[in-house]
Amino acid sequence: MAASDLLSDKTIRAALKVAGQADKARKISDGGGLVLDVRPTGAGWWRLRYWLDGKERMLSLGTYPDTSLAQARAKRDEARRLLADGQDPSAARQEAKAAMQRKRQAEQLADAGLPPEGSFEAVAREWLTRVHQVKVSAGHAERTRIRLEQDAFPWLGRRPIGEIEAPELLQMLRRVEGRGAIETAHRIKDACGQVFRYGIAIGACARNPAADLRDALQPVQTKHHAAIVDPVQVGKLLRDMHDYQGNAITRAALALSALLLLRPGELRHMEWAWLDLDAGLLTVPAEVMKRKKADKADGPPHLVPLAAQAVAVLRDLEPLTGSGRFVFPALTSKQRCMSENTVRSALRRLGYGNDDMTAHGFRATARTMIAERLGVPAEVIEAQLAHAVGDALGRAYNRTQFADQRRAMMQSWADYLDKLRKGADVLPMPSKAA
């Protein structure tokens, strides 16, 4: 084995002096591959010569005197230990530098309140901006962001997305599940799954651990909006609504909730500009409807034929709110529409709790009773309810066809509600044999 530790500070100073006098660089060896490239400037470069895979290589270890003889020897010995383990000292140094750079970047991002690059939060926020917000409504995107910020990022946000496995993801979801928010846990799992799929696409991770949790969470217990479907009870509800002693605008909202088959949000956002009372037609713009973002932007409006009874309610309401934008303005400001709790609160004042009847429940009442009591085909009812249809051709068909059937249905429904309110004979359910 070749000798090492051949130099001393004295010999190095002497070599530097000679190089300066001769104005010529020279190399002096300390053994073990460590060489000092002595320069006439009075400084020297420490270099390590080594062989890997049969090839000679050179590694810089710093400059003398900034890097002392003892320090250079320590670096040489560490490099030779790496070689003994089959590692390339040069590659190890580059990886150490890269790791240090990543650490500095992470610290800078943390100081700025931003997640580390390649972390779950960083990829999730990129997905929210580039994909999710483009596909869904602003409200939907905002709800997804809030769920991730409240329940996912505190536990997984700083973790490298490629290192997250199914058990760790499940542990986070179990925290949400543990507070009874079962549906929220499922929604967060679905959002995380989309984040991981996006991460795979951009090369940030290799797999989607959310896919392994398909049966790991408690199932969501579906609870439909409370709705009255018994004709006798519906008749009583209509009489109670007719006798409502509260605000006249709220009374009209109750009546039209039963007559128009709209979602509560569509009803309370209704504008006078959408109405043609002479033609008996309400045109709800696509952006107000419950649709995918693309359909909101490019889809056709939803047409609601107005029965004579609905037109009468609106004409009675016109002197009260017709000078403003909204058919149902807020009680405190005409610049805003009615609160989402107004109709619900009115039902409660009439003695109907959330387990009895809700504002949304009027749609379920109509869907059930129009089919069972009036015998209208399901596809006509679904078209008027503006329920989503799977394919674009089906959606176009539902919104452009059945115009005459829908107008006839809406008038028959209004007439039937009048009969129930007045306590007239209830139409018998059609026989299955018929």
Side-chain angles (χ1 to χ4, degrees):
M1 182 175 179
S4 60
D5 296 351
L6 304 176
L7 297 177
S8 67
D9 286 316
K10 183 177 179 179
T11 58
I12 293 174
R13 287 194 295 270
L16 289 170
K17 183 177 180 180
V18 171
Q21 291 172 345
D23 194 23
K24 184 178 180 181
R26 57 180 298 211
K27 293 182 174 63
I28 55 177
S29 174
D30 188 52
L34 180 61
V35 174
L36 181 63
D37 187 357
V38 178
R39 303 295 177 87
T41 58
W45 286 89
W46 291 111
R47 304 187 191 281
L48 177 66
R49 296 174 62 202
Y50 66 97
W51 282 260
L52 187 67
D53 299 328
K55 295 181 180 180
E56 182 181 0
R57 309 200 181 190
M58 192 75 72
L59 179 66
S60 176
L61 300 182
T63 60
Y64 183 89
D66 292 334
T67 300
S68 68
L69 176 58
Q71 290 172 329
R73 287 171 175 170
K75 290 181 179 182
R76 175 197 62 192
D77 295 343
E78 175 60 26
R80 299 192 71 81
R81 279 193 291 272
L82 291 172
L83 284 169
D85 290 336
Q87 300 181 55
D88 183 352
S90 180
R93 171 185 289 182
Q94 291 173 2
E95 175 56 33
K97 287 183 178 179
M100 183 59 68
Q101 179 64 20
R102 289 194 296 269
K103 182 180 179 182
R104 282 196 295 265
Q105 289 177 345
E107 290 173 348
Q108 291 172 354
L109 290 170
D111 291 341
L114 300 173
E117 185 177 353
S119 65
F120 177 82
E121 182 176 348
V123 176
R125 290 195 183 279
E126 184 176 327
W127 167 77
L128 282 167
T129 302
R130 290 181 174 272
V131 179
H132 196 52
Q133 291 179 0
V134 178
K135 291 175 60 177
V136 304
S137 68
H140 185 172
E142 180 68 4
R143 288 190 293 274
T144 302
R145 180 188 64 79
I146 291 173
R147 290 188 188 109
L148 290 173
E149 287 182 347
Q150 291 181 344
D151 291 310
F153 292 166
W155 311 106
L156 302 178
R158 293 298 195 262
R159 295 274 289 119
I161 189 171
E163 296 180 7
I164 298 174
E165 297 292 342
E168 188 176 5
L169 182 60
L170 178 61
Q171 185 179 20
M172 178 272 291
L173 293 169
R174 286 275 168 83
R175 291 187 178 94
V176 182
E177 192 181 58
R179 66 173 190 260
I182 309 303
E183 183 176 355
T184 299
H186 280 269
R187 291 185 183 277
I188 294 173
K189 179 181 77 69
D190 292 343
C192 289
Q194 294 180 65
V195 171
F196 282 111
R197 289 198 294 274
Y198 178 73
I200 293 171
I202 65 173
C205 59
R207 60 183 306 277
N208 173 18
D212 299 330
L213 305 183
R214 181 176 179 180
D215 299 315
L217 295 176
Q218 298 178 34
V220 177
Q221 300 298 324
T222 304
K223 184 177 181 180
H224 297 288
H225 295 284
I228 299 173
V229 295
D230 176 73
V232 175
Q233 294 180 18
V234 171
K236 180 180 183 305
L237 170 64
L238 293 169
R239 288 190 292 275
D240 291 338
M241 289 164 48
H242 186 268
D243 296 335
Y244 181 73
Q245 299 300 308
N247 184 277
I249 300 174
T250 304
R251 185 170 179 267
L254 282 167
L256 293 177
S257 294
L259 289 168
L260 299 187
L261 280 62
L262 292 173
R263 296 178 178 88
E266 298 159 2
L267 179 76
R268 65 190 185 88
H269 282 94
M270 189 193 306
E271 299 181 20
W272 285 107
W274 304 351
L275 288 160
D276 185 343
L277 297 183
D278 292 332
L281 184 67
L282 166 63
T283 303
V284 184
E287 61 267 21
V288 179
M289 300 299 296
K290 182 183 179 182
R291 297 176 182 172
K292 293 182 178 179
K293 191 171 185 177
D295 288 336
K296 284 178 176 284
D298 302 323
H302 178 57
L303 304 180
V304 182
L306 301 175
Q309 292 88 332
V311 172
V313 172
L314 289 164
R315 289 201 184 279
D316 287 343
L317 189 60
E318 194 170 15
L320 294 175
T321 68
S323 61
R325 172 186 173 187
F326 294 108
V327 176
F328 302 108
L331 298 179
T332 56
S333 171
K334 291 185 178 181
Q335 305 307 313
R336 293 185 291 106
C337 68
M338 173 184 287
S339 164
E340 61 182 343
N341 291 320
T342 302
V343 171
R344 180 191 304 174
S345 297
L347 288 170
R348 286 181 178 176
R349 287 184 61 183
L350 293 173
Y352 298 89
N354 283 340
D355 292 334
D356 303 314
M357 188 64 181
T358 63
H360 203 286
F362 284 106
R363 286 166 58 85
T365 297
R367 174 65 181 84
T368 301
M369 298 185 71
I370 291 175
E372 293 184 351
R373 304 289 167 169
L374 303 183
V376 176
E379 58 267 25
V380 178
I381 306 172
E382 293 296 300
Q384 192 56 61
L385 289 168
H387 280 162
V389 178
D391 62 280
L393 181 62
R395 290 195 295 273
Y397 182 76
N398 265 10
R399 289 170 188 154
T400 58
Q401 303 300 314
F402 307 130
D404 294 337
Q405 297 96 316
R406 287 160 63 182
R407 182 170 289 280
M409 178 191 75
M410 296 296 278
Q411 187 59 58
S412 296
W413 174 239
D415 293 340
Y416 179 57
L417 292 180
D418 276 349
K419 290 181 180 180
L420 294 182
R421 179 174 58 82
K422 296 173 182 177
D425 291 340
V426 175
L427 291 176
M429 291 184 64
S431 168
K432 291 184 179 180

